[in-house]
């Protein structure tokens, strides 16, 4: 029932609803008010009342007694009114420092963790989750991961130890690696988990403000040279904006064709480790504040072929090629800053929509939604994300 919060009902209240004036039944933790259906039941109202206030899972599935059709279950779904909380669960709620994490059902991730620790989680409904990511919503991206229990459960990476050599030495198959790296974790409130564990560690971290500080001056200088040496300023603007437009396509192609090369990723540790360093770590730890924008050294490596390409295509005039390239690099600066702010800032309305769209790429469907600064190329190439449907219940 997406779009509404259903109440949590005490088990005693459910058990007391067993008359024709008020009749509840349960299936697992779900509570249904079937009072309007009592008189219409094909087997007679007495049969319904016999199970009033009780769990009907067994009788609904009993082929000897009566086979219930899909329509019967659909009718039940129409009468879902809430979730039942049994006494052991309510005792944990009463003793909890964060009862709102547990009730109303379904509990938050922390709430479920508390119920499991107390041994009363069985039968409690969890938030629906997307199978490919294990997430329910964008909020889940910021729920802190317990490194010890996560490693014990998934046997992938221990967030408390340097990640790079774990990936290199892990012996992971491609399928297992891709499954795990796209199930986001969150480390210590957005801090950076250790990657190298040595003097190289600082080189893997880049604050967002480094991007404009490093790249705006050369872009401004190159643009100045172009305006100084191309006779027509309007023509210079056209070349510059051509570069900016080209960047929007490059952004899409890099994200889809290089960063998400998943299908064509070599099934060996070299390919897996390179994938992890290039983009996998961002999907694994998407709210890491210092591993979100591109380090200048990596950008130089990626930008150099495009610099050569610009001067090859626009070979007749060095300044024309420079104007196009500077427009493109300005587009990159806007992309990296937008990407950071989508993850970590409250934004105006247009960007709030982009934020929802991009975070959906992380928590729901990493195989679509490759545009970061806009959806334009996603629409052109058929990879636009639809509004998220209710995830499959865990």
């Amino acid at each position: 029932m997406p779009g509404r919060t259903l109440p949590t009902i005490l088990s005693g209240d459910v058990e007391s609803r067993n008359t024709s004036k008020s009749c509840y039944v349960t299936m697992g933790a779900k509570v249904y008010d079937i009072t309007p259906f009592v008189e219409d039941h094909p087997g007679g109202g007495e049969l319904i009342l016999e199970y009033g206030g009780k769990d009907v899972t067994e009788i609904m599935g009993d082929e000897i007694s009566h086979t219930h059709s899909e329509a019967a279950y659909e009718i039940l779904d129409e009468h879902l009114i809430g979730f039942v909380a049994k006494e052991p669960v309510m005792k944990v709620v009463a003793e909890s420092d964060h009862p709102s994490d547990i009730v109303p059902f379904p509990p938050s991730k922390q709430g479920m963790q508390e119920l499991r620790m107390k041994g009363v989680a069985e039968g409690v409904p969890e938030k629906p989750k997307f199978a490919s990511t294990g997430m329910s919503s964008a909020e889940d991206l910021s729920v802190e991961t317990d490194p010890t229990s996560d490693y014990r459960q998934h046997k992938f990476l221990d967030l408390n130890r340097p990640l790079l050599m774990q990936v290199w030495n892990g012996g992971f198959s491609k399928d297992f690696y891709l499954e795990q790296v796209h199930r986001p974790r969150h480390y210590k409130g957005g801090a950076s988990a250790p990657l190298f564990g040595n003097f190289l560690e600082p080189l893997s971290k880049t604050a967002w403000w480094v991007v404009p500080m490093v790249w705006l001056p050369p872009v401004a200088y190159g643009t100045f040279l172009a305006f100084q040496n191309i006779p027509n300023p309007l023509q210079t603007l056209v070349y510059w904006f051509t570069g900016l437009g080209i960047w929007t396509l490059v952004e899409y192609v890099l994200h889809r064709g290089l960063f998400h090369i998943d299908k064509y990723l070599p099934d060996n540790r070299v390919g897996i480790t390179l994938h992890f360093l290039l983009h996998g770590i961002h999907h694994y730890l998407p709210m890491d504040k210092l591993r979100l924008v591109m380090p200048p050294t990596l950008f130089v490596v990626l930008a150099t072929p495009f610099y050569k390409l610009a001067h090859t295509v626009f070979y007749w005039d060095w300044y024309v090629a420079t104007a196009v390239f500077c427009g493109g690099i300005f587009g990159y600066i806007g992309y990296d800053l937008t990407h950071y702010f989508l993850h970590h800032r409250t934004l105006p309305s247009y960007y709030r929509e982009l934020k929802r769209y991009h975070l959906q790429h992380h928590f729901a469907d990493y195989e679509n939604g490759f545009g970061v600064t806009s959806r334009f190329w996603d629409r052109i190439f058929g990879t636009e994300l639809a509004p998220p449907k209710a995830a499959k219940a865990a």
Side-chain angles (χ1 to χ4, degrees):
M1 303 293 289
R4 65 186 177 119
T5 301
L6 297 174
T8 302
I9 306 168
L10 295 174
S11 56
D13 188 17
V14 173
E15 290 165 5
S16 69
R17 306 295 184 119
N18 55 10
T19 70
S20 59
K21 292 183 178 179
S22 181
C23 185
Y24 291 1
V25 295
T26 65
M27 288 188 71
K30 294 181 178 180
V31 181
Y32 305 91
D33 181 357
I34 57 169
T35 309
F37 189 64
V38 170
E39 299 303 324
D40 297 327
H41 186 254
E46 295 79 9
L47 184 61
I48 291 276
L49 295 177
E50 183 182 339
Y51 288 92
K54 300 175 184 177
D55 192 290
V56 296
T57 305
E58 189 174 338
I59 191 64
M60 288 283 288
D62 187 352
E63 295 184 6
I64 298 175
S65 172
H66 175 63
T67 302
H68 286 85
S69 65
E70 287 296 320
Y73 289 94
E74 289 172 6
I75 291 171
L76 266 184
D77 283 338
E78 291 171 6
H79 293 83
L80 177 65
I81 60 164
F83 302 97
V84 63
K86 298 182 179 177
E87 287 184 20
V89 172
M90 294 311 296
K91 183 179 179 183
V92 174
V93 171
E95 296 172 353
S96 175
D97 293 330
H98 304 283
S100 61
D101 283 341
I102 303 174
V103 291
F105 286 167
S108 69
K109 202 169 184 178
Q110 297 98 319
M112 279 303 296
Q113 200 168 33
E114 187 170 354
L115 291 176
R116 289 192 183 102
M117 287 174 63
K118 299 289 186 179
V120 296
E122 186 176 354
V124 175
E126 294 191 58
K127 281 186 178 181
K129 294 179 180 179
F130 292 94
S132 60
T133 64
M135 300 272 110
S136 303
S137 65
E139 288 73 22
D140 287 348
L141 297 171
S142 298
V143 174
E144 191 160 318
T145 302
D146 180 337
T148 304
S149 62
D150 180 70
Y151 181 68
R152 187 185 303 123
Q153 179 181 353
H154 296 288
K155 302 295 190 293
F156 183 47
L157 302 177
D158 181 349
L159 288 169
N160 284 326
R161 297 191 294 119
L163 302 176
L164 179 64
M165 294 312 294
Q166 291 185 73
V167 175
W168 179 257
N169 294 321
F172 307 126
S173 70
K174 178 176 104 172
D175 289 343
F176 176 76
Y177 163 77
L178 290 174
E179 175 194 336
Q180 288 298 320
V181 86
H182 289 116
R183 297 176 72 86
R185 275 73 163 181
H186 188 58
Y187 185 72
K188 296 184 178 179
S192 298
L195 180 61
F196 295 103
N198 55 32
F199 68 94
L200 294 173
E201 197 72 27
L203 298 179
S204 71
K205 301 176 184 178
T206 308
W208 69 267
W209 47 262
V210 170
V211 172
M213 186 182 75
V214 170
W215 298 117
L216 274 180
V219 165
Y221 181 64
T223 303
F224 170 76
L225 290 179
F227 272 103
Q228 288 291 101
N229 291 279
I230 298 174
N232 187 337
L234 183 59
Q235 193 178 24
T236 307
L237 279 175
V238 169
Y239 286 128
W240 195 91
F241 278 101
T242 297
L244 181 61
I246 290 172
W247 164 258
T248 66
L249 178 59
V250 169
E251 171 194 317
Y252 177 88
V253 170
L254 282 177
H255 193 184
R256 182 181 181 181
L258 179 61
F259 299 163
H260 282 273
I261 198 173
D262 304 358
K263 183 178 178 181
Y264 304 101
L265 184 67
D267 194 357
N268 58 55
R269 67 181 184 175
V270 174
I272 286 172
T273 304
L274 287 175
H275 180 278
F276 185 76
L277 289 173
L278 191 61
H279 196 61
I281 191 171
H282 175 55
H283 272 264
Y284 189 60
L285 294 161
M287 305 308 284
D288 184 335
K289 295 177 181 177
L290 295 178
R291 292 203 181 104
L292 204 155
V293 301
M294 196 173 293
T297 47
L298 177 58
F299 183 69
V300 167
V301 173
L302 292 176
T304 298
F306 289 100
Y307 178 83
K308 294 183 180 297
L309 180 62
H311 285 271
T312 300
V313 173
F314 300 94
Y315 62 90
W316 66 87
D317 191 320
W318 188 90
Y319 297 104
V320 167
T322 298
V324 173
F325 185 71
C326 285
I329 298 303
F330 185 83
Y332 154 72
I333 295 168
Y335 153 79
D336 236 356
L337 295 183
T338 299
H339 191 196
Y340 180 86
F341 294 147
L342 294 182
H343 279 260
H344 294 293
R345 291 289 187 272
T346 301
L347 300 165
S349 57
Y350 168 74
Y351 287 98
R352 282 201 298 272
E353 184 57 36
L354 270 183
K355 181 185 182 86
R356 283 192 291 269
Y357 184 75
H358 179 65
L359 294 185
Q360 186 183 338
H361 170 74
H362 282 281
F363 79 78
D365 183 3
Y366 62 85
E367 295 179 308
N368 289 290
F370 301 107
V372 174
T373 54
S374 83
R375 304 183 185 197
F376 178 77
W377 293 109
D378 277 321
R379 288 172 179 154
I380 296 297
F381 291 110
T383 55
E384 185 177 16
L385 288 165
K389 298 178 181 178
K392 186 177 180 181

